[in-house]
């Protein structure tokens, strides 16, 4: 089963009409790892998230850069890089 769940802050917002052929657009999420490294520091990662038209329209209308979001989706490989395909996006108010 290929399912992932990630919580983070929006770094780059999706733009409408970015990829009209596939009917998708992309946003970037910055997330802190839920565990610390050997040196005691929590590292951050950036994830590329593909949004389909309906989800993208909702995110564009209701979210802003630096807003916290929770994303449920699946991981796909694109040009040898993992990308998260969002199935559900929720704004998180207490992050």
């Amino acid at each position: 089963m290929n399912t992932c769940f990630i919580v983070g802050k929006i770094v780059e917002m999706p733009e409408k009409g970015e990829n009209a052929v596939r009917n998708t657009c992309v946003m970037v999420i910055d997330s802190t790892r839920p565990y610390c490294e050997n040196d005691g520091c929590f590292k951050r990662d950036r994830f590329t998230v593909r949004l389909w038209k309906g989800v993208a329209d909702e995110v564009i209308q209701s979210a802003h850069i630096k807003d916290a979001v929770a994303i449920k989706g699946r991981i796909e490989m694109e040009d040898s890089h993992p990308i998260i395909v969002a199935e559900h996006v929720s704004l998180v108010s207490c992050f």
Side-chain angles (χ1 to χ4, degrees):
M1 185 165 172
N2 182 3
T3 302
C4 66
F5 184 79
I6 184 170
V7 176
K9 294 192 179 196
I10 299 173
V11 177
E12 292 179 26
M13 286 291 293
E15 292 185 23
K16 226 174 187 179
E18 187 174 309
N19 190 347
V21 174
R22 294 189 63 166
N23 217 13
T24 65
C25 58
V26 172
M27 74 175 175
V28 178
I29 302 297
D30 185 46
S31 180
T32 303
R33 294 180 184 180
Y35 56 87
C36 63
E37 299 295 320
N38 290 338
D39 60 3
C41 295
F42 289 89
K43 293 198 177 180
R44 303 180 73 77
D45 292 303
R46 288 207 172 176
F47 296 95
T48 302
V49 180
R50 181 183 299 139
L51 304 169
W52 291 97
K53 185 175 170 54
V55 176
D57 290 341
E58 290 292 322
V59 170
I60 290 169
Q61 291 174 6
S62 59
H64 300 70
I65 289 181
K66 295 186 180 177
D67 281 353
V69 291
I71 299 170
K72 178 182 175 241
R74 65 184 187 279
I75 299 174
E76 290 184 358
M77 295 301 286
E78 187 174 280
D79 298 326
S80 300
H81 292 33
I83 187 167
I84 298 171
V85 178
E87 295 171 356
H88 185 78
V89 177
S90 299
L91 289 174
V92 179
S93 60
C94 59
F95 179 61

